[in-house]
Amino acid sequence: MSSNSDPAPDRREFLRQAATVAGILALPAAARAAGAPAAQTPADESAAGGAGWLCFSPDEAAWVERLVDVLCPADELTPRGVDCGLAFFFDRQLAGAYGRGERLYLQGPWRPAIPEDGYQLPLTPEAYFKVGLKAAEEAARARHQRGFADLGAAEADAFLQLLAAGQLKTPHVNLAHWFDELVYPLFQQACFSDPIHGGNHDRVFWKMIGYPGLPAVNGLNMVKYRGKPFPGAKTPRSIEDFS
Amino acid sequence: MRTLPECSVVIVGGGLASGLVARQLARQGVQTVVLERGGDNRDGAAGKIPTQRDELRWDTRLGLMQDAARETYTLRRSRDAAAQPMRRLSAFLPGTGVGGAGNHWGGQVWRWADYNMALRTRLETRYGRGAIPAEMPVQDWGVTYDELEPYHDLFERLFGVSGQAGNLRGQILAGGNPFEAPRRNPYPQAPLEATEAGLMFKETVEREFGYKPFPSPAANSSGPYVNPDGMHLGACQYCGHCDRFICEANAKGAPDVLLYPWLARQPGFELRTHSHVTGLDYDPVAKRVRGVKYLDLVTSEEVCQPGGAVVLAGFTLTNTRLLLGGGIGRPYDPVSGGGVVGKNFCYQANSGISMFFRDRWLNPFLAAGSTSTIIDEFNDDNFDHTGLGFFGGGYIGVGVTSGRPIAARRLPPRTPRWGSAWKQANADWYAHSCAIGVQGSCYPHRENYLDLDPDHTDAFGQPLLRLNFDWRDNEAKVSAYCTDRAHRIARAMGATQIGPVVSRASPFDTRYYQGSHVTGGTIMGADPATSVVSPRLQHWDAENLFVVGASVFAHNAGHNPTGPIGALALRLGDDLARYSSQPGRLS
């Protein structure tokens, strides 16, 4: 799980300064992650699916960008997570209907539960995400004397391994549960959902596994390519190609 | 509350069972009103290309399903525990909107083995009167397969079912299911094309074990089809967006394709969408239901629709909830074993084992909802249970029904959860993996039942239904036995890697989808002391009230429930036409 996308050392300082500049939120994620001054960065929206944060503060955005670059390091299969639009996907999902608790029963009474009872917190996914992120950040600072976004790739990866394994105890947030029930599913959805949702930029994960996407009209293909490589798997098409 | 003029028949729910009942009534000129809480999704984004192909929207986020924020269920695994709401619906997925769960089903249409309708008699005859444990209230249904056979036949023709007959009027046919109940006609359409994985399974079980594999009977249309009502199905395009989705190609037998458009043209039929039923107006003295109360969601007006006859045809669990909420019939009491409403709630003990074949192209995206190749040797009582310590079983098969990449990827055991190695494993195995699955029966247990939750309410302020359910000893043994058989087949298929091998066991885990085949709660039977409705589906405590759907099943087999639901619904339609002209207790 190596990464060639170590953050620039001055990245947090840049973000702190940049946050005071009007219009920073309109900067593409990739431009911010690169640590480049706004004036020198062309707004290349195609690089990461979209621009601007609806849900995240600059610090939260930096945290999530570090997260997705650890979960998805750049290698011969895909660019790094930020450039695949994964952080953008997290932001849009948490800012949208899912994050606000659509289809989630949020009436009491509330009682302690066992894991097999499923999600049993009186928090929307957006609120829970931020509570967990804050607790995880405190755990990172306690352990490394630096924030998660400032950890090197190997350090950040090791930190997440501990977190997911339930070995980082915080006063009252179950970080392993937070990771398993919320963060990790969002990560997989960010990679493999249709690019119209902001992740899976340029269908890069569909190309990686050979999922052909749309139109999926296979009345003839069903027999023709049974047991054989499927030619369309190399050039998947998404909803936007048919819109 | 505004009270409307009486109509002949009022049906609660606008799904598959309701549409079939209404179809029989319309053909016989009986005025019918159907009340459906949702809208019509077919012409919306769910039923059109390209938005139909959005896995995140319709599958992951369950865009077509019952909204748990408005109504869900609570669960407790024993009576001394507090129930917890299923805050997200995950384990099973009720539908909403015209067509109900029938618009986003996968399409398997089974005829259960004929002994299922008289399961207690069957087990006592074969294993002795004392063989059935006291805590397992299996019952005969009060109906025979032979009575239902003409309606199975009609249902298959109406829905254009594709399949290979296994038992044609007693003659066992090669390539079909030798355990199926005898049928008067072949399936209306040829079977679907098999998947590569299905062919590998077939070749292995024939060669290594001598089993008789067959293609799943499917309401995925293998060719263009016109049903007896002149309704059209297109040919299935094997798009892999079937279960959890509306078929934009009109190639799936679905109520919103085959039934409701036809019903809309019939005089005397009315479908009211956005009509959320809140209760039944029950007269316990006269033992009649005067009408159905509902909230018009478009106007917020409370309305009562009186009916000469009232039919409950909502989702399985809705039927029980309405009876308990209306105080109709005696609630089941697990302590005494008395009472009936909520009794014999069953699920299915389903399991699966991933298989990885390095050199085989399995292309999971070339699939339909029912492209499964199956054996029935270990289902229900198709095999000798002497000395096994359990009753029941399941079908075993390889069903490749979707390559949708969020949910359908499989990774070998011990794959890292992220990073380059995780990505490489996805790239290596996506097109080369599948699963062998078990659909396991679930027989009733004294402590598995439904009642009303004392603490939690829905968006309308009404009590949620509480599921008292866990995997009991019998189902854990069924699952372990059948999963082991599946594991043996997986090894014989020569998979590069297999696993993990996990069968169902307590505690019941609400987080993972295990099929939407919940049954029971308003069970049918010949004895009013042990059943809610008669063999004609007429409520024992309300002469003009009828219940249909999987809620009337006295147990759940190792097959999908839709075939028997369809047959029972069509028969009920004919019975109701009779009742409308001559009310009284049907025999």
Side-chain angles (χ1 to χ4, degrees):
Chain A
M1 290 187 195
S2 66
S3 169
N4 57 8
S5 59
D6 284 352
D10 61 347
R11 183 157 167 270
R12 281 187 74 77
E13 185 54 31
F14 160 72
L15 286 168
R16 204 165 288 123
Q17 294 173 14
T20 65
V21 177
I24 179 64
L25 293 184
L27 260 181
R32 269 186 276 95
Q40 297 172 11
T41 307
D44 178 10
E45 296 202 6
S46 70
W53 304 113
L54 288 173
C55 176
F56 297 145
S57 71
D59 284 351
E60 289 164 345
W63 207 100
V64 173
E65 290 187 340
R66 193 79 202 88
L67 171 78
V68 299
D69 282 351
V70 173
L71 298 180
C72 176
D75 52 27
E76 65 275 17
L77 292 168
T78 78
R80 67 198 183 109
V82 167
D83 292 341
C84 295
L86 305 189
F88 182 75
F89 177 94
F90 272 66
D91 180 77
R92 288 303 190 259
Q93 287 296 309
L94 292 169
Y98 166 77
R100 303 285 167 86
E102 186 182 61
R103 295 177 180 276
L104 178 63
Y105 182 80
L106 284 171
Q107 295 186 44
W110 303 87
R111 301 185 176 105
I114 62 172
E116 289 82 0
D117 288 325
Y119 187 79
Q120 294 289 343
L121 298 175
L123 294 172
T124 62
E126 180 192 23
Y128 188 39
F129 188 89
K130 296 195 172 194
V131 164
L133 187 152
K134 188 163 181 289
E137 174 67 3
E138 285 166 5
R141 288 181 178 279
R143 190 172 186 85
H144 295 283
Q145 291 74 52
R146 278 175 297 151
F148 176 70
D150 291 327
L151 300 182
E155 276 180 315
D157 190 294
F159 177 81
L160 284 184
Q161 298 286 355
L162 289 174
L163 186 151
Q167 292 172 22
L168 291 181
K169 302 299 182 194
T170 67
H172 73 288
V173 178
N174 181 336
L175 286 175
H177 177 272
W178 175 73
F179 186 82
D180 286 346
E181 299 293 321
L182 184 56
V183 177
Y184 193 68
L186 278 170
F187 165 61
Q188 298 199 72
Q189 293 155 19
C191 297
F192 291 104
S193 62
D194 192 284
I196 56 164
H197 296 289
N200 191 18
H201 178 63
D202 198 28
R203 297 145 286 168
V204 62
F205 287 91
W206 288 3
K207 291 175 192 168
M208 178 182 92
I209 62 173
Y211 172 65
L214 276 70
V217 176
N218 297 315
L220 299 174
N221 298 334
M222 179 71 182
V223 174
K224 188 174 180 185
Y225 296 111
R226 182 164 53 203
K228 298 173 185 155
F230 187 74
K234 290 177 182 157
T235 53
R237 291 193 288 171
S238 77
I239 289 173
E240 58 196 357
D241 295 319
F242 290 81
S243 301
Chain B
M1 182 177 300
R2 183 161 60 99
T3 299
L4 301 172
E6 181 172 304
C7 72
S8 299
V9 178
V10 186
I11 308 180
V12 176
L16 182 139
S18 169
L20 293 169
V21 172
R23 189 255 182 198
Q24 298 304 90
L25 289 170
R27 285 171 56 85
Q28 294 168 76
V30 180
Q31 181 200 22
T32 304
V33 169
V34 168
L35 303 172
E36 164 56 42
R37 62 183 173 178
D40 188 345
N41 296 306
R42 174 150 294 277
D43 291 328
K48 300 295 172 189
I49 292 287
T51 42
Q52 191 270 358
R53 300 281 197 262
D54 191 342
E55 180 185 13
L56 186 73
R57 183 174 183 181
W58 308 118
D59 182 343
T60 315
R61 302 277 182 256
L62 305 176
L64 285 168
M65 309 305 174
Q66 175 173 307
D67 182 353
R70 293 167 81 97
E71 181 186 343
T72 185
Y73 311 93
T74 68
L75 172 87
R76 60 177 185 173
R77 297 174 187 79
S78 66
R79 280 186 284 118
D80 55 9
Q84 297 282 10
M86 298 176 174
R87 297 189 176 277
R88 293 190 191 288
L89 287 172
S90 304
F92 57 88
L93 300 172
T96 190
V98 178
N103 69 16
H104 57 72
W105 69 319
Q108 291 192 24
V109 181
W110 293 88
R111 299 190 184 200
W112 294 7
D114 50 9
Y115 55 75
N116 266 296
M117 310 290 139
L119 186 61
R120 174 164 281 274
T121 299
R122 162 79 174 206
L123 297 181
E124 287 186 345
T125 304
R126 189 169 184 180
Y127 304 105
R129 288 189 68 84
I132 301 173
E135 70 273 13
M136 184 190 288
V138 291
Q139 297 178 197
D140 293 356
W141 295 27
V143 66
T144 66
Y145 167 76
D146 289 345
E147 293 172 73
L148 294 179
E149 200 283 335
Y151 294 103
H152 272 292
D153 184 70
L154 175 57
F155 180 51
E156 289 167 357
R157 285 185 289 123
L158 284 171
F159 273 52
V161 176
S162 307
Q164 168 62 52
N167 182 347
L168 191 60
R169 301 184 208 100
Q171 184 189 356
I172 303 301
L173 302 181
N177 178 7
F179 298 95
E180 86 172 341
R183 52 176 50 253
R184 67 178 60 200
N185 286 315
Y187 287 97
Q189 296 202 75
L192 295 169
E193 295 291 347
T195 64
E196 175 73 358
L199 293 179
M200 290 159 58
F201 170 81
K202 178 176 189 291
E203 190 268 330
T204 301
V205 298
E206 285 177 340
R207 185 193 65 224
E208 296 292 325
F209 302 97
Y211 301 150
K212 307 289 187 201
F214 56 91
S216 170
N220 312 139
S221 191
S222 60
Y225 182 76
V226 183
N227 85 358
D229 292 339
M231 304 303 286
H232 291 247
L233 288 174
C236 176
Q237 295 302 312
Y238 302 93
C239 75
H241 294 70
C242 187
D243 61 298
R244 305 193 180 198
F245 293 77
I246 285 178
C247 178
E248 90 291 347
N250 288 352
K252 177 162 65 176
D256 50 331
V257 175
L258 298 171
L259 298 174
Y260 290 97
W262 180 86
L263 284 164
R265 302 200 297 262
Q266 309 307 311
F269 175 81
E270 185 187 353
L271 169 65
R272 285 183 208 147
T273 58
H274 303 101
S275 300
H276 180 90
V277 171
T278 53
L280 304 174
D281 182 10
Y282 177 57
D283 180 344
V285 178
K287 295 208 166 193
R288 290 181 63 81
V289 173
R290 286 182 287 249
V292 179
K293 295 179 282 189
Y294 67 93
L295 184 66
D296 183 332
L297 299 176
V298 178
T299 64
S300 291
E301 185 181 27
E302 286 187 296
V303 183
C304 180
Q305 173 61 64
V310 171
V311 180
L312 304 185
F315 186 68
T316 308
L317 300 171
T318 304
N319 293 345
T320 299
R321 185 168 180 242
L322 284 168
L323 290 182
L324 289 171
I328 309 173
R330 275 192 307 138
Y332 173 69
D333 175 5
V335 178
S336 70
V340 288
V341 184
K343 180 177 149 91
N344 284 22
F345 172 69
C346 297
Y347 198 9
Q348 277 185 328
N350 299 340
S351 59
I353 305 169
S354 291
M355 301 187 288
F356 303 87
F357 297 88
R358 187 178 302 284
D359 301 320
R360 305 297 291 260
W361 288 92
L362 303 184
N363 297 342
F365 43 83
L366 300 179
S370 298
T371 33
S372 300
T373 307
I374 290 169
I375 61 165
D376 230 6
E377 269 79 359
F378 300 101
N379 209 341
D380 288 307
D381 200 42
N382 291 350
F383 59 108
D384 186 0
H385 288 70
T386 304
L388 291 180
F390 65 86
F391 288 122
Y395 79 50
I396 299 171
V398 168
V400 177
T401 59
S402 156
R404 298 192 298 271
I406 297 173
R409 287 170 297 112
R410 299 181 180 283
L411 295 170
R414 292 175 298 283
T415 300
R417 294 179 75 190
W418 62 76
S420 293
W422 173 80
K423 284 195 276 184
Q424 188 62 53
N426 276 286
D428 288 344
W429 295 113
Y430 170 71
H432 306 280
S433 53
C434 63
I436 185 167
V438 174
Q439 180 153 195
S441 66
C442 181
Y443 291 173
H445 187 279
R446 187 184 172 111
E447 297 285 345
N448 287 344
Y449 67 102
L450 306 170
D451 61 2
L452 293 178
D453 189 279
D455 299 326
H456 294 89
T457 57
D458 67 8
F460 305 94
Q462 297 191 307
L464 296 184
L465 193 72
R466 179 168 63 183
L467 279 51
N468 297 267
F469 181 80
D470 202 357
W471 300 117
R472 313 296 177 186
D473 186 51
N474 187 70
E475 275 52 55
K477 286 179 176 171
V478 166
S479 185
Y481 182 87
C482 292
T483 305
D484 175 62
R485 295 284 160 173
H487 189 201
R488 296 183 200 189
I489 295 170
R491 288 199 303 261
M493 286 176 71
T496 314
Q497 292 194 62
I498 294 173
V501 181
V502 181
S503 59
R504 289 284 166 234
S506 176
F508 171 53
D509 194 329
T510 66
R511 293 173 295 180
Y512 305 111
Y513 185 70
Q514 292 151 68
S516 295
H517 309 149
V518 288
T519 66
T522 73
I523 64 175
M524 62 191 294
D527 181 357
T530 56
S531 58
V532 174
V533 293
S534 76
R536 293 284 168 188
L537 308 185
Q538 189 170 27
H539 199 289
W540 290 115
D541 296 304
E543 182 212 279
N544 69 333
L545 178 62
F546 298 80
V547 185
V548 67
S551 63
V552 306
F553 292 9
H555 69 274
N556 205 355
H559 283 135
N560 306 52
T562 312
I565 292 172
L568 286 165
L570 287 165
R571 189 182 68 134
L572 175 61
D574 280 355
D575 284 346
L576 278 169
R578 192 154 55 96
Y579 179 88
S580 293
S581 59
Q582 195 174 0
R585 190 142 288 281
L586 296 176
S587 58

